[in-house]
Amino acid sequence: MGRTAYEGIAPAMATATDHPFADILTAGRKVVFSRTLKTADWANTIIAAGDTAAEIDKLRLDGDGHILVWGGVGLWRSLMRLDLVSSFASDSGIMELQYRRHR
């Protein structure tokens, strides 16, 4: 997710007890793409401040190639502009993308 989405989601989800995704999101690994955010206090969250394509490649190599993206249009534009998205599907407002390997 991007900084704006993180700042909107994290405070609510980190303390939510009645949201159906709160426990899953808090327990899961999260990456915030931002060059301005300096700290991320939500559990299991890291900040990716480097080159977006290189950061995506690091995530892909460390996982199974599927990355869930919850965020705004700014991050989506960055991913599309870098030609990193080969397909996507939407369910419950969360996008799952299959990324192309950065060339």
Side-chain angles (χ1 to χ4, degrees):
M1 71 183 78
R3 178 195 52 82
T4 303
Y6 173 80
E7 289 175 339
I9 295 168
M13 289 294 127
T15 59
T17 58
D18 60 348
H19 191 283
F21 296 128
D23 290 342
I24 294 167
L25 290 173
T26 296
R29 185 173 79 159
K30 296 165 291 297
V31 179
V32 180
F33 289 86
S34 175
R35 289 185 176 85
T36 58
L37 190 66
K38 300 303 178 202
T39 62
D41 298 326
W42 192 11
N44 304 313
T45 302
I46 61 169
I47 298 171
D51 175 73
T52 302
E55 296 286 355
I56 293 291
D57 269 352
K58 284 187 224 174
L59 293 171
R60 286 187 65 249
L61 292 171
D62 199 29
D64 64 3
H66 295 274
I67 301 171
L68 297 178
V69 177
W70 194 343
V73 71
L75 179 58
W76 278 98
R77 283 185 186 149
S78 294
L79 298 174
M80 298 295 271
R81 192 176 315 117
L82 292 167
D83 194 31
L84 295 175
V85 180
S86 60
S87 64
F88 63 91
S90 175
D91 186 23
S92 303
I94 301 173
M95 300 290 179
E96 179 183 0
L97 287 75
Q98 179 70 34
Y99 289 97
R100 292 184 179 124
R101 184 162 181 83
H102 185 61
R103 295 172 185 98

